[in-house]
Amino acid sequence: MPEFIYPAWLVALAVLPAIAWAARYRSGTASTRLWIGTALRCLAVATLVVALAGPITHSASNRVTVVFALDQSASIDADAFDRSLEWVRNAVAIKPAQTDVGVVVFGASAAVEQAPAAELTIDGTVQSFVDQDATDIGAAIELALATLPTGGQRRIVVVSDGAETEGDARGSAAAAHALGVELFAVALESQTRSDIVRLDHISSPDWVHANEPFEIQASVHSHSQTRASITVLRDGGVVYQAETQLQAGNNVIDVADRIPNPGLREYEVLVSSDADAQLENNRFSTFIDVRGPPRALHVYTEATEADVLTAALQVQGLNVEAVTASRFPSTQRALYDFDLIILNNVSGYDLSLAKMQALEHYVRDGGGGVITVGGDRAYAAGGYYATPLETLLPVDMDIQVDAAIPVAAVTILLDKSGSMSSQVDGEQKLAIARRAALAAIEVLNPLDQIGVLAFDSTFDWAVQPTLAGERRAIVDSLQAMTVGGGTRLYPALREAHRMARSQQAKVKHLIVLSDGLAESDEDFVALSREIAASDITVSTVAFGAGADQQLMQVIADIGGGRYYYAKDLQHVPRIFTSETLTVTRDLFVEARVTPETRDGHAILSGIEPTAVPALSGYQRTWPKPAAQTLLSAGDDPLLSVWRYGLGRSAAFMSDLSGRWGAAWTEWPQFPQLAAQLARWTMRQQNAGQLSAGFAVQDQTATLSVDALDGDDRFLNGLTLSASISDASGTATTTPLDQVASGRYEATFPVAAGKQYVVSVSAQRDAIPTKVFALAVPYSPEFQNAGLNLPLLEDLARESGGDVMSLSRQPLEAILAPSANSTEAQRIWWPFLGLVLLFLMLEVVVRRVR
């Protein structure tokens, strides 16, 4: 029986009767010439259809191509992999000359180490890189198929322990069989066991009430009787630690605990044994949702500024924890322990950009609340400008001014001494200084004047005093700056003073940046006094551990400016921005102002507008378009609020200490207003509730959410979505589909050993945003289930191959051509020739009389 590659084309032969009928119908009469021409046309069509179907013929062939697929996943130790590679080299040494060999390595992915060739060029270890945290045998088979030629005898040899964790190896083996490729399997198993103990699972409640006792069960598997240490951590602190004798098989460890404060708590169980060398499967994490009354975190710099607000909120029944800025939570998940974060006159330089980013996600994706209280260290003066903290607040730091009026003349003195050539976090110090100067220029008005004076042992004007609007020329001049020699600040400071005295501007300001000790015995005190007497202010930035901090402090104090010490050098551009905004925008208003009530709001409920005390000052900001300004001083906001993402934020521009807000702290209704502001801003706690569970399989997590009302009845028809954030803060949003009464589900990709924060929200006020956390276990690759011989047997049986071991080495069956072997070849050109012949004869019959 003839064979075809694409037999479906033969169905087209059914059109031949239609072609004959059409020819007879068009002519109207039957004749010998008509019947012969029609027959030739049908023959041409039939021959073309057969050619398209791909007829094949078989001929004798001794050409063999073998691709070895070597398992390099984590379940294969280095010794076992080296043995498999040496086995392949031995195979090449005895192969017939007409046999080509190739090598594919695989784990979670597959890579071609060597395409099929007559010689094996792998001398030492393989060079291809594959992800070892999983085993996808199917991907290896498919890649091996892609490297095989179309003709000859083709074989794939899978060398693996068969511990498949991803993909469909049986389906790929069936595809290989359909293509006429034989598949052999070699059982590969580690000869020595380095993995003695492993943590299989942790059993814990999904949620508990605060102070409610509960138990955590850790399931520990041991391959033999051995001593081991068990440690249980809660949020990084040890709650249980003991030495125990593990028995061969499964061991259950029970640990009792209770948690006083609500929030998401992470439990991590660690097991260690001197006999165990594989550590990847010796730790397991889980999260418990501790439910209780809402909590607020009050963050401050000076305790005297925070005591009044903390006491006022506690009097109103709020659970408040007050901490210094240095103890601000360092992870996004730790923020979710609180429903409200209050930053009380906290400088942005006390918060890293990573912490600010986590705070922004906390509000936007987690539905949390943030309140900022002003002062001399907050807002624009505190480095909030162009940060994630400014993004989440209802006010902008760059207040609007009349750009037609020249306001300021700013001169920046940049240290370009030899020490500025060193690098910090992969960036040269001088490059950071350039970025700082550009950051200051960006917030100047186009008609303001800017000059950059670079100094080392001498000085020169990198940017002559010019209009800030000439940004392109300024950038080009800054880029031409190069590192010089020593550090001599005095002559440069004197030159900057000389130039500033000749400039016409409302504000004249010098900013000095240096990372070293000044090589001069000059009288800086006298010069600083002379500069101050000229109505010119000086601020200084000490840059790095080697800076002359004492001298820089003295210059700033006498010069009427501000002194900064940039321990984190990446803060320097933000310092320059806030410093420039401070001197060019009149940020501080220090005068008696009576707050005006501009918008009726629940926060002001029960507060008589005329009863709000006056303030002695505030820091100026600009309200964002979507913000609600509740209290104001003319056009300047004093208290603004808005919704940001799933959460809310509020900004109070004055302070709550003796400098500006002393009258407020003595106001009898202050605790009421503070509590109403806190309760409106914090994460909402309503009757409806969401509970969630996770299931992880093949790098995919399934989130199942149950929605209940206050009477524990299922809620249907909700529009739920989940915001998933990983450790880097990257967030993705996915909708949840209703799959049962009150149950909603969604899937999202995960990686082994990673943690995710999941915020579930509903477009319905009765269901507040709820935050959950998922700890993905270590890869199944480290479960070490041993040799999966049934899978290897199925793969070989599916494609007519065999299962073998490295010790038997029946290599001839793999490398030698089979007896009476043939090679299939497609034939097409004789059929196309016949098509042309039939068409030519048909033309002759119809045209020649």
Side-chain angles (χ1 to χ4, degrees):
M1 183 178 179
E3 296 181 36
F4 298 92
I5 300 177
Y6 311 108
W9 275 104
L10 298 177
V11 177
L13 294 175
V15 304
L16 296 180
I19 294 175
W21 178 84
R24 173 70 178 83
Y25 177 79
R26 290 178 58 191
S27 65
T29 60
S31 66
T32 302
R33 185 187 301 272
L34 174 64
W35 286 117
I36 294 175
T38 301
L40 290 170
R41 185 178 303 175
C42 289
L43 285 172
V45 172
T47 306
L48 179 61
V49 169
V50 171
L52 291 174
I56 58 177
T57 183
H58 295 273
S59 60
S61 173
N62 289 325
R63 187 159 60 103
V64 178
T65 305
V66 181
V67 174
F68 295 93
L70 306 183
D71 190 343
Q72 203 181 12
S73 64
S75 61
I76 302 296
D77 62 27
D79 290 339
F81 182 77
D82 289 342
R83 285 188 288 112
S84 68
L85 196 57
E86 183 63 27
W87 185 75
V88 173
R89 294 195 190 98
N90 293 337
V92 173
I94 64 172
K95 75 174 185 65
Q98 68 271 26
T99 299
D100 292 341
V101 293
V103 176
V104 167
V105 293
F106 68 94
S109 57
V112 177
E113 178 66 21
Q114 176 180 302
E119 297 294 334
L120 187 68
T121 59
I122 304 175
D123 296 327
T125 60
V126 297
Q127 302 300 314
S128 300
F129 173 79
V130 295
D131 184 355
Q132 296 181 302
D133 287 344
T135 301
D136 190 344
I137 301 175
I141 295 174
E142 292 169 6
L143 183 60
L145 286 173
T147 65
L148 289 170
T150 57
Q153 300 174 56
R154 300 175 298 167
R155 296 163 186 160
I156 298 174
V157 183
V158 176
V159 185
S160 172
D161 60 0
E164 181 183 38
T165 61
E166 293 180 7
D168 181 13
R170 291 180 175 86
S172 299
H177 177 64
L179 295 173
V181 177
E182 291 181 284
L183 193 148
F184 295 83
V186 176
L188 181 63
E189 189 173 19
S190 301
Q191 290 181 335
T192 60
R193 177 173 292 279
S194 60
D195 185 33
I196 303 301
V197 297
R198 70 171 185 267
L199 269 167
D200 279 344
H201 185 64
I202 295 179
S203 296
S204 64
D206 293 330
W207 67 273
V208 296
H209 291 292
N211 285 314
E212 175 187 356
F214 62 92
E215 281 192 349
I216 292 177
Q217 288 187 336
S219 177
V220 183
H221 187 275
S222 178
H223 289 282
S224 60
Q225 190 179 63
T226 184
R227 294 287 298 175
S229 173
I230 308 294
T231 304
V232 179
L233 307 176
R234 185 218 301 156
D235 293 336
V238 177
V239 295
Y240 174 86
Q241 189 169 32
E243 293 284 334
T244 185
Q245 182 75 23
L246 296 178
Q247 303 300 318
N250 194 48
N251 301 262
V252 177
I253 309 297
D254 293 321
V255 178
D257 197 15
R258 67 171 66 200
I259 306 173
N261 295 320
L264 277 174
R265 300 300 176 205
E266 179 188 3
Y267 279 85
E268 186 175 19
V269 180
L270 309 176
V271 58
S272 61
S273 172
D274 293 339
D276 188 51
Q278 186 168 344
L279 305 180
E280 290 84 358
N281 56 9
N282 288 9
R283 59 195 312 150
F284 215 106
S285 297
T286 189
F287 288 93
I288 297 178
D289 179 18
V290 183
R291 298 179 180 177
R295 299 175 67 205
L297 179 67
H298 188 186
V299 185
Y300 61 88
T301 303
E302 299 290 340
T304 55
E305 297 176 343
D307 292 343
V308 173
L309 180 57
T310 298
L313 294 175
Q314 289 175 340
V315 165
Q316 292 290 315
L318 294 175
N319 184 0
V320 182
E321 179 179 340
V323 299
T324 61
S326 61
R327 293 177 55 199
F328 188 87
S330 58
T331 65
Q332 181 181 342
R333 186 194 61 77
L335 291 174
Y336 288 114
D337 288 349
F338 303 93
D339 300 281
L340 175 66
I341 308 294
I342 303 172
L343 301 179
N344 192 341
N345 197 16
V346 172
S347 169
Y349 310 120
D350 292 333
L351 305 176
S352 65
L353 286 175
K355 290 183 178 180
M356 290 186 182
Q357 190 69 50
L359 192 62
E360 192 260 344
H361 283 294
Y362 162 79
V363 178
R364 185 192 66 194
D365 303 319
V370 168
I371 298 175
T372 53
V373 178
D376 58 350
R377 292 183 296 273
Y379 302 118
Y384 291 10
Y385 177 76
T387 66
L389 185 53
E390 183 190 31
T391 302
L392 70 89
L393 289 177
V395 292
D396 283 324
M397 307 301 111
D398 189 5
I399 62 175
Q400 298 184 7
V401 296
D402 188 353
I405 303 175
V407 174
V410 178
T411 301
I412 299 174
L413 289 81
L414 288 186
D415 186 345
K416 65 166 187 174
S417 60
S419 59
M420 295 293 283
S421 63
S422 60
Q423 292 196 344
V424 177
D425 295 332
E427 186 177 15
Q428 191 184 51
K429 283 186 178 181
L430 186 60
I432 297 176
R434 288 196 197 99
R435 283 201 294 115
L438 291 173
I441 294 167
E442 285 296 324
V443 296
L444 288 172
N445 288 324
L447 296 180
D448 288 337
Q449 297 179 49
I450 182 68
V452 179
L453 183 62
F455 68 93
D456 49 10
S457 56
T458 60
F459 64 83
D460 64 271
W461 286 97
V463 177
Q464 286 284 346
T466 186
L467 295 180
E470 302 293 331
R471 284 181 169 82
R472 174 48 57 189
I474 295 172
V475 170
D476 292 341
S477 298
L478 287 175
Q479 293 297 334
M481 285 179 55
T482 57
V483 175
T487 304
R488 194 155 185 255
L489 173 60
Y490 187 89
L493 189 59
R494 186 175 56 194
E495 168 65 11
H497 177 217
R498 181 195 68 78
M499 180 64 72
R501 282 185 302 177
S502 65
Q503 293 178 288
Q504 300 296 319
K506 177 182 177 181
V507 175
K508 300 178 183 180
H509 189 63
L510 311 180
I511 306 176
V512 181
L513 172 72
S514 177
D515 78 329
L517 299 172
E519 297 175 356
S520 173
D521 295 328
E522 304 288 351
D523 190 352
F524 280 97
V525 172
L527 179 57
S528 299
R529 288 173 177 167
E530 185 179 346
I531 294 173
S534 304
D535 291 329
I536 302 170
T537 54
V538 185
S539 292
T540 58
V541 182
F543 186 33
D548 196 335
Q549 298 185 47
Q550 183 177 0
L551 174 62
M552 301 290 266
Q553 178 82 63
V554 168
I555 294 174
D557 289 345
I558 298 176
R562 284 150 298 279
Y563 164 70
Y564 303 89
Y565 172 55
K567 185 176 181 180
D568 183 348
L569 305 186
Q570 296 300 331
H571 283 329
V572 173
R574 290 168 54 201
I575 291 174
F576 270 55
T577 297
S578 63
E579 179 65 19
T580 306
L581 287 172
T582 301
V583 300
T584 62
R585 297 295 198 274
D586 291 331
L587 289 182
F588 298 118
V589 176
E590 298 201 86
R592 180 180 173 84
V593 294
T594 300
E596 304 170 14
T597 303
R598 299 183 57 181
D599 192 358
H601 197 281
I603 292 175
L604 300 178
S605 177
I607 305 295
E608 183 64 34
T610 58
V612 179
L615 294 166
S616 299
Y618 61 93
Q619 186 175 160
R620 298 181 66 199
T621 58
W622 190 261
K624 293 179 180 177
Q628 291 177 281
T629 299
L630 308 186
L631 299 175
S632 64
D635 292 332
D636 293 338
L638 292 177
L639 175 61
S640 292
V641 299
W642 77 338
R643 296 175 183 269
Y644 179 69
L646 301 177
R648 299 173 177 179
S649 67
F652 180 60
M653 264 49 75
S654 187
D655 64 16
L656 293 174
S657 62
R659 179 176 181 182
W660 294 334
W664 274 51
T665 61
E666 299 171 358
W667 177 33
Q669 284 189 289
F670 170 65
Q672 176 187 348
L673 177 59
Q676 290 176 177
L677 175 61
R679 289 194 171 98
W680 182 87
T681 311
M682 68 173 44
R683 184 187 293 114
Q684 302 306 295
Q685 302 283 339
N686 295 323
Q689 62 181 6
L690 302 173
S691 59
F694 297 93
V696 178
Q697 184 176 8
D698 294 339
Q699 296 187 332
T700 299
T702 299
L703 166 66
S704 298
V705 175
D706 290 330
L708 305 172
D709 63 11
D711 297 323
D712 289 339
R713 294 175 300 191
F714 290 123
L715 293 174
N716 300 309
L718 299 180
T719 302
L720 296 180
S721 62
S723 176
I724 301 109
S725 303
D726 58 18
S728 67
T730 303
T732 58
T733 302
T734 183
L736 280 78
D737 298 322
Q738 185 166 1
V739 296
S741 181
R743 171 155 292 192
Y744 303 81
E745 286 188 354
T747 60
F748 56 95
V750 294
K754 303 296 183 181
Q755 294 183 350
Y756 299 87
V757 175
V758 180
S759 304
V760 179
S761 59
Q763 295 179 358
R764 183 170 175 174
D765 289 340
I767 303 295
T769 299
K770 185 66 177 176
V771 179
F772 308 95
L774 168 65
V776 182
Y778 55 79
S779 170
E781 198 65 31
F782 299 108
Q783 289 179 348
N784 291 323
L787 185 65
N788 187 358
L789 192 58
L791 174 62
L792 298 177
E793 292 173 343
D794 289 348
L795 299 182
R797 183 168 53 249
E798 182 70 34
S799 60
D802 194 8
V803 177
M804 56 194 69
S805 64
L806 296 182
S807 59
R808 288 172 52 195
Q809 295 189 0
L811 298 177
E812 293 79 5
I814 300 175
L815 301 171
S818 302
N820 301 320
S821 61
T822 59
E823 180 178 352
Q825 293 182 334
R826 180 178 179 179
I827 53 175
W828 57 270
W829 62 267
F831 293 92
L832 293 183
L834 288 174
V835 170
L836 294 176
L837 177 62
F838 290 145
L839 290 176
M840 292 175 60
L841 291 175
E842 192 259 346
V843 171
V844 171
V845 169
R846 284 192 299 106
R847 299 296 183 184
V848 179
R849 294 186 179 276

